[in-house]
Protein backbone atom coordinates (compact mmCIF):
# COMPACT_ATOMS: atom_id res chain seq x y z
CA UNK A 1 0.00 0.00 0.00
CA UNK A 2 2.84 2.37 0.69
CA UNK A 3 3.99 1.92 -2.89
CA UNK A 4 0.75 3.35 -4.28
CA UNK A 5 0.54 6.09 -1.64
CA UNK A 6 4.08 7.24 -2.50
CA UNK A 7 3.24 7.18 -6.19
CA UNK A 8 0.20 9.44 -5.76
CA UNK A 9 2.03 11.81 -3.45
CA UNK A 10 4.60 12.39 -6.16
CA UNK A 11 7.45 11.11 -4.06
CA UNK A 12 8.97 8.55 -6.40
CA UNK A 13 8.64 9.06 -10.17
CA UNK A 14 10.66 5.96 -10.99
CA UNK A 15 8.06 3.78 -9.26
CA UNK A 16 5.28 5.45 -11.26
CA UNK A 17 7.12 4.91 -14.52
CA UNK A 18 7.78 1.27 -13.64
CA UNK A 19 4.11 0.61 -12.89
CA UNK A 20 3.01 2.38 -16.10
CA UNK A 21 5.53 0.50 -18.22
CA UNK A 22 4.60 -2.79 -16.57
CA UNK A 23 0.90 -2.15 -17.27
CA UNK A 24 1.68 -1.34 -20.92
CA UNK A 25 3.60 -4.60 -21.30
CA UNK A 26 1.14 -6.80 -19.39
CA UNK A 27 -2.09 -5.32 -20.89
CA UNK A 28 -1.79 -7.01 -24.32
CA UNK A 29 -1.37 -10.37 -22.59
CA UNK A 30 -4.36 -9.84 -20.30
CA UNK A 31 -6.91 -8.39 -22.78
CA UNK A 32 -7.39 -11.64 -24.79
CA UNK A 33 -8.13 -13.44 -21.52
CA UNK A 34 -10.47 -10.77 -20.14
CA UNK A 35 -12.74 -10.54 -23.21
CA UNK A 36 -13.98 -14.16 -23.08
CA UNK A 37 -14.29 -13.85 -19.32
CA UNK A 38 -16.43 -10.72 -19.67
CA UNK A 39 -18.61 -12.45 -22.29
CA UNK A 40 -19.08 -15.45 -19.99
CA UNK A 41 -20.13 -13.19 -17.12
CA UNK A 42 -22.63 -11.37 -19.36
CA UNK A 43 -24.05 -14.67 -20.65
CA UNK A 44 -24.48 -15.93 -17.08
CA UNK A 45 -26.28 -12.72 -16.19
CA UNK A 46 -28.65 -13.08 -19.14
CA UNK A 47 -29.42 -16.69 -18.23
CA UNK A 48 -30.08 -15.72 -14.60
CA UNK A 49 -32.34 -12.87 -15.76
CA UNK A 50 -34.37 -15.19 -18.01
CA UNK A 51 -34.73 -17.79 -15.27
CA UNK A 52 -35.86 -15.08 -12.86
CA UNK A 53 -38.52 -13.92 -15.32
CA UNK A 54 -39.82 -17.49 -15.71
CA UNK A 55 -39.88 -18.03 -11.94
CA UNK A 56 -41.74 -14.76 -11.40
CA UNK A 57 -44.31 -15.66 -14.07
CA UNK A 58 -44.92 -19.05 -12.42
CA UNK A 59 -45.26 -17.40 -9.02
CA UNK A 60 -47.77 -14.93 -10.45
CA UNK A 61 -49.80 -17.75 -12.01
CA UNK A 62 -49.83 -19.80 -8.80
CA UNK A 63 -50.85 -16.77 -6.75
CA UNK A 64 -53.71 -16.08 -9.15
CA UNK A 65 -54.85 -19.69 -8.85
CA UNK A 66 -54.82 -19.51 -5.05
CA UNK A 67 -56.80 -16.27 -5.07
CA UNK A 68 -59.38 -17.80 -7.43
CA UNK A 69 -59.70 -20.87 -5.20
CA UNK A 70 -60.13 -18.69 -2.12
CA UNK A 71 -62.88 -16.66 -3.83
CA UNK A 72 -64.64 -19.86 -4.90
CA UNK A 73 -64.49 -21.23 -1.35
CA UNK A 74 -65.89 -17.98 0.03
CA UNK A 75 -68.72 -18.06 -2.46
CA UNK A 76 -69.46 -21.68 -1.61
CA UNK A 77 -69.38 -20.94 2.13
CA UNK A 78 -71.88 -18.11 1.67
CA UNK A 79 -74.19 -20.39 -0.29
CA UNK A 80 -74.05 -18.26 -3.40
CA UNK A 81 -72.93 -19.28 -6.84
CA UNK A 82 -71.07 -16.04 -7.54
CA UNK A 83 -67.93 -14.66 -6.00
CA UNK A 84 -67.81 -12.03 -3.30
CA UNK A 85 -66.08 -9.53 -5.52
CA UNK A 86 -66.63 -5.91 -4.50
CA UNK A 87 -69.04 -3.97 -6.72
CA UNK A 88 -67.53 -1.95 -9.52
CA UNK A 89 -66.84 1.67 -8.73
CA UNK A 90 -68.40 4.35 -10.84
CA UNK A 91 -66.04 6.73 -12.50
CA UNK A 92 -66.86 10.25 -13.53
CA UNK A 93 -66.47 9.29 -17.19
CA UNK A 94 -69.29 7.04 -18.48
CA UNK A 95 -68.40 4.00 -20.50
CA UNK A 96 -69.02 3.95 -24.23
CA UNK A 97 -71.96 1.53 -23.85
CA UNK A 98 -73.60 3.79 -21.25
CA UNK A 99 -73.48 6.97 -23.30
CA UNK A 100 -76.83 7.78 -24.85
CA UNK A 101 -76.69 8.69 -28.47
CA UNK A 102 -79.44 10.80 -29.99
CA UNK A 103 -81.68 8.88 -32.37
CA UNK A 104 -81.70 10.05 -35.95
CA UNK A 105 -84.90 11.93 -36.84
Amino acid sequence: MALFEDMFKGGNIVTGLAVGLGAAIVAPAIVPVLRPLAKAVIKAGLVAYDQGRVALAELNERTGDIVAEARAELAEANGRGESEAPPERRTSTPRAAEVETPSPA
Side-chain angles (χ1 to χ4, degrees):
M1 288 300 272
L3 175 74
F4 290 114
E5 290 174 5
D6 291 342
M7 205 169 43
F8 290 122
K9 288 180 185 176
N12 194 348
I13 194 159
V14 175
T15 304
L17 288 173
V19 169
L21 185 61
I25 292 172
V26 173
I30 292 177
V31 169
V33 174
L34 291 180
R35 182 176 170 89
L37 180 65
K39 284 174 52 177
V41 168
I42 290 171
K43 285 180 186 178
L46 289 172
V47 168
Y49 174 74
D50 288 340
Q51 288 178 350
R53 284 182 50 201
V54 169
L56 187 62
E58 288 176 2
L59 177 66
N60 189 20
E61 184 178 340
R62 288 182 185 178
T63 303
D65 292 345
I66 291 171
V67 169
E69 288 176 18
R71 286 183 193 255
E73 288 176 7
L74 280 175
E76 185 179 311
N78 289 333
R80 295 172 43 184
E82 58 190 54
S83 67
E84 282 285 318
E88 292 184 29
R89 295 184 186 167
R90 282 270 189 200
T91 60
S92 59
T93 308
R95 295 182 187 157
E98 296 173 351
V99 176
E100 294 181 23
T101 56
S103 60

